Amino acid sequence: MAKPSKPLRLLAQDADDLSVLSAALQDAVAKIGDIRWDAQSRTLTIACNRFRWEGEGRTGERVRSALQFGDVSGVQARNLRRDAKGAIVELLSIGFEPAEEAPAGVVTLTFAGGGDMRVSVECLDVALADVSDPWATPRTPGHAD
């Protein structure tokens, strides 16, 4: 019997940390309706199904995860239909571009199909947490070389 895996819990407070989160979230899928910006609390939260690249074994696994950005001053989306709440998006990468005055900057979430989201932050304050047990998936994401 395989040993149970520990849930992933990561924090990012600089660009290097964010690159680790980006790798862990590569190929995560989410519904547009599961992306929520709360301007009053200055948070952007994304509930997604993360592919467990760190998983062991022959079959792939996904796990329900939550990604939250703090100190958000604004969010802009391009080629993402906010009115299509059930539409599925696939996250490819997360990057950070520092502003002239540190520690502020812009986090860019790049999605398959040409969509992206720019998240203006006062500082990098990002948390990723697995919130379910993993389940087997027959599909492993593929990437062109």
Side-chain angles (χ1 to χ4, degrees), residues 22-23 25-27 90-95 107-112:
S22 179
L25 284 162
Q26 182 178 10
D27 299 310
E90 180 181 359
L91 184 63
L92 297 178
S93 66
I94 304 172
V107 176
T108 301
L109 292 90
T110 304
F111 297 95

Side-chain angles (χ1 to χ4, degrees), residues 4-59:
S5 59
K6 291 187 178 186
L8 196 62
R9 306 246 189 276
L10 299 173
L11 297 174
Q13 296 180 323
D14 61 31
D16 289 338
D17 293 346
L18 193 62
S19 69
V20 173
L21 264 68
S22 179
L25 284 162
Q26 182 178 10
D27 299 310
V29 292
K31 291 181 181 177
I32 293 285
D34 288 338
I35 301 172
R36 300 220 168 114
W37 179 40
D38 184 338
Q40 186 172 357
S41 68
R42 298 170 46 93
T43 59
L44 174 71
T45 305
I46 302 172
C48 62
N49 295 339
R50 183 178 73 78
F51 188 83
R52 293 186 69 243
W53 289 105
E54 75 279 9
E56 296 178 17
R58 293 183 164 199
T59 60

Side-chain angles (χ1 to χ4, degrees), residues 5 46 83 86 112 117 143:
S5 59
I46 302 172
D83 60 329
M117 185 175 291
H143 298 272

Side-chain angles (χ1 to χ4, degrees), residues 47-112:
C48 62
N49 295 339
R50 183 178 73 78
F51 188 83
R52 293 186 69 243
W53 289 105
E54 75 279 9
E56 296 178 17
R58 293 183 164 199
T59 60
E61 293 180 330
R62 286 202 179 265
V63 63
R64 192 73 172 154
S65 299
L67 176 67
Q68 187 168 68
F69 296 85
D71 292 316
V72 176
S73 57
V75 177
Q76 296 175 315
R78 183 177 61 150
N79 295 328
L80 299 174
R81 291 192 45 208
R82 288 182 276 173
D83 60 329
K85 301 290 186 198
I88 304 293
V89 292
E90 180 181 359
L91 184 63
L92 297 178
S93 66
I94 304 172
F96 180 68
E97 185 179 317
E100 287 185 27
E101 292 197 29
V106 175
V107 176
T108 301
L109 292 90
T110 304
F111 297 95

